[in-house]
Amino acid sequence: MFEDIDAAAERIRDKRASWVDRRDAAEILGRAAMRALAPLHELREEMDVDVRRSIESALGHAASVLNGVIPRDALGPIPLEELVRSCEKKGEREVLADGDAFVVKVTLKTGRSQHVHVKPLNRKDGVRLYQVYSVCGKADEKTYAWALRANAKMAQAAIALTGHDDEERFVLVNCFLVEEVSCNEMKASVKEVAYLADWMEQRLGNTDEF
Protein backbone atom coordinates (compact mmCIF):
# COMPACT_ATOMS: atom_id res chain seq x y z
CA MET A 1 0.00 0.00 0.00
CA PHE A 2 2.58 2.57 1.09
CA GLU A 3 4.87 1.47 -1.75
CA ASP A 4 2.25 2.60 -4.30
CA ILE A 5 1.77 5.93 -2.54
CA ASP A 6 5.52 6.53 -2.27
CA ALA A 7 5.95 5.65 -5.95
CA ALA A 8 3.18 8.07 -6.96
CA ALA A 9 4.70 10.81 -4.79
CA GLU A 10 8.08 10.27 -6.41
CA ARG A 11 6.54 10.28 -9.89
CA ILE A 12 4.61 13.53 -9.41
CA ARG A 13 7.77 15.26 -8.17
CA ASP A 14 9.72 14.12 -11.24
CA LYS A 15 9.64 17.10 -13.62
CA ARG A 16 11.18 14.91 -16.32
CA ALA A 17 8.25 12.46 -16.30
CA SER A 18 5.44 12.84 -18.84
CA TRP A 19 2.43 14.92 -17.95
CA VAL A 20 0.27 11.78 -18.24
CA ASP A 21 2.35 9.93 -15.62
CA ARG A 22 2.30 12.93 -13.29
CA ARG A 23 -1.45 13.39 -13.78
CA ASP A 24 -2.08 9.73 -12.97
CA ALA A 25 0.16 10.01 -9.90
CA ALA A 26 -1.87 13.01 -8.70
CA GLU A 27 -5.09 11.03 -9.09
CA ILE A 28 -3.65 8.10 -7.13
CA LEU A 29 -2.53 10.39 -4.30
CA GLY A 30 -5.86 12.19 -4.26
CA ARG A 31 -7.84 8.96 -4.01
CA ALA A 32 -5.51 7.67 -1.27
CA ALA A 33 -5.92 10.90 0.70
CA MET A 34 -9.72 10.79 0.44
CA ARG A 35 -9.89 7.14 1.49
CA ALA A 36 -7.67 7.89 4.48
CA LEU A 37 -9.38 11.11 5.57
CA ALA A 38 -13.00 9.96 5.18
CA PRO A 39 -13.01 7.45 8.10
CA LEU A 40 -10.92 9.80 10.25
CA HIS A 41 -13.44 12.61 9.74
CA GLU A 42 -16.36 10.24 10.25
CA LEU A 43 -15.00 9.02 13.60
CA ARG A 44 -13.66 12.34 14.94
CA GLU A 45 -16.04 12.05 17.94
CA GLU A 46 -14.93 8.49 18.77
CA MET A 47 -15.69 7.58 22.41
CA ASP A 48 -12.39 5.80 23.11
CA VAL A 49 -10.02 8.52 24.33
CA ASP A 50 -6.82 7.05 22.89
CA VAL A 51 -8.38 6.40 19.50
CA ARG A 52 -9.92 9.89 19.42
CA ARG A 53 -6.57 11.51 20.23
CA SER A 54 -4.90 9.61 17.39
CA ILE A 55 -7.67 10.66 15.01
CA GLU A 56 -7.36 14.30 16.09
CA SER A 57 -3.58 14.13 15.64
CA ALA A 58 -3.91 12.63 12.14
CA LEU A 59 -6.47 15.24 11.07
CA GLY A 60 -4.32 18.00 12.55
CA HIS A 61 -1.32 16.78 10.55
CA ALA A 62 -3.40 16.73 7.38
CA ALA A 63 -4.58 20.29 8.00
CA SER A 64 -1.00 21.41 8.67
CA VAL A 65 0.20 19.96 5.37
CA LEU A 66 -2.63 21.70 3.49
CA ASN A 67 -1.53 24.96 5.12
CA GLY A 68 2.05 24.43 3.99
CA VAL A 69 3.39 23.29 7.37
CA ILE A 70 5.04 19.89 7.77
CA PRO A 71 4.38 18.50 11.30
CA ARG A 72 7.61 18.10 13.27
CA ASP A 73 7.03 14.46 14.10
CA ALA A 74 6.53 13.68 10.41
CA LEU A 75 10.24 14.38 9.96
CA GLY A 76 11.25 11.44 12.15
CA PRO A 77 12.39 11.20 15.79
CA ILE A 78 13.36 14.49 17.40
CA PRO A 79 17.12 14.56 18.16
CA LEU A 80 17.97 14.29 21.85
CA GLU A 81 19.70 17.67 21.94
CA GLU A 82 16.66 19.40 20.46
CA LEU A 83 14.42 17.73 23.04
CA VAL A 84 16.62 18.71 25.96
CA ARG A 85 17.33 22.25 24.74
CA SER A 86 13.59 22.82 24.65
CA CYS A 87 13.67 22.49 28.46
CA GLU A 88 15.94 25.54 28.91
CA LYS A 89 14.58 28.53 30.80
CA LYS A 90 16.80 31.30 32.11
CA GLY A 91 17.09 31.23 35.87
CA GLU A 92 15.20 27.95 36.17
CA ARG A 93 16.65 25.29 33.89
CA GLU A 94 20.18 25.19 32.48
CA VAL A 95 21.22 22.49 29.99
CA LEU A 96 24.77 21.11 30.02
CA ALA A 97 26.25 18.56 27.59
CA ASP A 98 27.64 15.36 29.14
CA GLY A 99 29.18 13.22 26.39
CA ASP A 100 26.30 11.81 24.34
CA ALA A 101 23.90 12.75 27.16
CA PHE A 102 22.78 15.94 28.90
CA VAL A 103 22.27 17.28 32.42
CA VAL A 104 19.52 19.79 33.19
CA LYS A 105 20.27 21.86 36.31
CA VAL A 106 16.84 22.71 37.69
CA THR A 107 16.42 25.51 40.23
CA LEU A 108 13.26 24.92 42.23
CA LYS A 109 10.97 27.56 43.70
CA THR A 110 12.26 26.67 47.17
CA GLY A 111 15.78 27.74 46.14
CA ARG A 112 16.99 24.14 46.17
CA SER A 113 18.31 22.56 42.97
CA GLN A 114 18.25 19.20 41.26
CA HIS A 115 20.31 17.68 38.45
CA VAL A 116 18.21 15.78 35.92
CA HIS A 117 20.12 13.50 33.54
CA VAL A 118 18.82 12.71 30.05
CA LYS A 119 20.54 10.02 28.02
CA PRO A 120 19.92 7.55 25.19
CA LEU A 121 19.34 3.94 26.20
CA ASN A 122 19.27 0.95 23.84
CA ARG A 123 17.55 -2.13 25.23
CA LYS A 124 18.72 -5.63 24.34
CA ASP A 125 15.52 -6.18 22.33
CA GLY A 126 16.43 -3.28 20.05
CA VAL A 127 14.00 -0.75 21.51
CA ARG A 128 15.53 2.74 21.69
CA LEU A 129 14.70 4.90 24.69
CA TYR A 130 15.48 8.31 26.10
CA GLN A 131 15.94 7.98 29.87
CA VAL A 132 15.26 10.90 32.21
CA TYR A 133 16.46 10.44 35.79
CA SER A 134 17.70 12.15 38.93
CA VAL A 135 19.58 10.60 41.86
CA CYS A 136 17.75 11.34 45.08
CA GLY A 137 19.37 9.51 47.96
CA LYS A 138 20.89 6.41 49.52
CA ALA A 139 18.77 3.30 49.57
CA ASP A 140 18.56 0.78 52.38
CA GLU A 141 16.20 -1.94 53.56
CA LYS A 142 14.40 0.46 55.91
CA THR A 143 13.23 2.67 53.05
CA TYR A 144 12.38 0.09 50.35
CA ALA A 145 8.79 -0.41 51.50
CA TRP A 146 8.20 3.35 51.79
CA ALA A 147 9.59 3.87 48.28
CA LEU A 148 7.32 1.21 46.78
CA ARG A 149 4.27 2.78 48.41
CA ALA A 150 5.31 6.20 47.14
CA ASN A 151 5.67 4.76 43.63
CA ALA A 152 1.91 4.31 43.40
CA LYS A 153 1.44 8.10 43.38
CA MET A 154 3.99 8.99 40.68
CA ALA A 155 2.64 10.61 37.50
CA GLN A 156 5.67 11.32 35.29
CA ALA A 157 8.29 9.10 36.91
CA ALA A 158 8.95 5.99 38.97
CA ILE A 159 11.30 5.22 41.85
CA ALA A 160 14.07 2.79 40.97
CA LEU A 161 17.41 1.54 42.28
CA THR A 162 20.79 2.09 40.71
CA GLY A 163 24.44 1.78 41.63
CA HIS A 164 26.07 5.17 42.21
CA ASP A 165 29.54 5.71 43.74
CA ASP A 166 29.56 2.03 44.83
CA GLU A 167 26.32 2.48 46.78
CA GLU A 168 22.69 1.66 46.11
CA ARG A 169 20.79 4.86 45.35
CA PHE A 170 17.20 5.72 44.76
CA VAL A 171 16.54 7.49 41.48
CA LEU A 172 13.43 9.05 39.98
CA VAL A 173 13.28 7.84 36.39
CA ASN A 174 11.11 8.17 33.31
CA CYS A 175 11.67 6.56 29.89
CA PHE A 176 10.35 7.54 26.46
CA LEU A 177 10.34 5.74 23.14
CA VAL A 178 12.72 7.66 20.85
CA GLU A 179 10.21 7.65 18.00
CA GLU A 180 7.32 9.06 20.04
CA VAL A 181 8.50 11.66 22.57
CA SER A 182 7.74 15.35 21.99
CA CYS A 183 9.48 18.46 23.31
CA ASN A 184 6.51 19.22 25.59
CA GLU A 185 6.60 15.71 27.06
CA MET A 186 10.34 15.96 27.67
CA LYS A 187 10.00 19.32 29.42
CA ALA A 188 7.12 18.08 31.59
CA SER A 189 9.14 15.00 32.56
CA VAL A 190 12.28 16.99 33.47
CA LYS A 191 10.26 19.33 35.69
CA GLU A 192 8.37 16.50 37.40
CA VAL A 193 11.47 14.34 37.93
CA ALA A 194 13.31 17.31 39.48
CA TYR A 195 10.41 18.14 41.79
CA LEU A 196 9.83 14.55 42.95
CA ALA A 197 13.54 13.78 43.34
CA ASP A 198 13.95 16.84 45.56
CA TRP A 199 10.91 15.76 47.58
CA MET A 200 12.47 12.31 48.03
CA GLU A 201 15.80 13.83 49.08
CA GLN A 202 14.09 15.70 51.85
CA ARG A 203 11.99 12.73 52.97
CA LEU A 204 15.13 10.58 53.11
CA GLY A 205 16.92 13.24 55.16
CA ASN A 206 19.55 13.94 52.52
CA THR A 207 21.18 17.30 51.88
CA ASP A 208 20.65 19.15 48.63
CA GLU A 209 23.54 17.43 46.81
CA PHE A 210 22.12 15.52 43.84
Side-chain angles (χ1 to χ4, degrees):
M1 176 184 69
F2 289 117
E3 290 82 359
D4 292 340
I5 293 174
D6 289 341
E10 184 176 347
R11 195 156 62 246
I12 198 173
R13 291 189 179 105
D14 185 0
K15 299 295 182 64
R16 296 170 298 178
S18 71
W19 69 269
V20 174
D21 286 342
R22 297 182 72 205
R23 179 202 63 189
D24 292 346
E27 291 179 356
I28 290 171
L29 293 173
R31 288 198 299 270
M34 289 300 296
R35 292 184 68 173
L37 289 173
L40 290 171
H41 187 266
E42 177 187 344
L43 297 172
R44 63 191 184 282
E45 296 183 1
E46 163 69 35
M47 295 299 295
D48 185 281
V49 174
D50 291 326
V51 175
R52 187 171 68 251
R53 285 176 179 169
S54 293
I55 291 172
E56 290 172 351
S57 176
L59 289 172
H61 287 175
S64 296
V65 170
L66 289 175
N67 289 324
V69 179
I70 299 177
R72 178 61 187 82
D73 58 6
L75 302 176
I78 302 174
L80 181 57
E81 182 167 5
E82 183 178 337
L83 286 167
V84 181
R85 294 292 178 191
S86 72
C87 301
E88 285 184 306
K89 186 174 182 180
K90 188 175 181 179
E92 294 186 22
R93 294 182 295 275
E94 179 186 3
V95 175
L96 302 173
D98 182 23
D100 63 345
F102 295 87
V103 177
V104 185
K105 295 175 63 177
V106 181
T107 300
L108 302 164
K109 293 180 179 179
T110 59
R112 290 167 60 90
S113 63
Q114 199 73 27
H115 287 189
V116 179
H117 303 262
V118 187
K119 69 177 185 178
L121 179 65
N122 296 321
R123 289 193 338 204
K124 291 182 179 179
D125 60 0
V127 173
R128 298 186 303 152
L129 302 171
Y130 288 144
Q131 186 181 66
V132 183
Y133 71 95
S134 185
V135 182
C136 48
K138 297 178 182 179
D140 57 47
E141 294 181 359
K142 297 179 181 178
T143 51
Y144 289 161
W146 171 83
L148 287 174
R149 284 192 292 269
N151 237 352
K153 302 175 184 178
M154 300 294 171
Q156 292 280 350
I159 301 170
L161 286 173
T162 189
H164 185 83
D165 294 339
D166 297 323
E167 291 184 304
E168 285 287 287
R169 302 274 189 172
F170 282 124
V171 295
L172 260 294
V173 63
N174 194 9
C175 290
F176 294 101
L177 292 171
V178 167
E179 293 80 8
E180 297 183 4
V181 61
S182 68
C183 290
N184 285 337
E185 289 172 324
M186 179 62 71
K187 181 163 64 175
S189 180
V190 166
K191 292 166 65 177
E192 185 76 351
V193 166
Y195 172 79
L196 292 173
D198 183 69
W199 170 75
M200 278 198 67
E201 273 188 4
Q202 296 182 70
R203 289 297 301 267
L204 294 169
N206 294 307
T207 57
D208 186 23
E209 57 178 320
F210 301 110

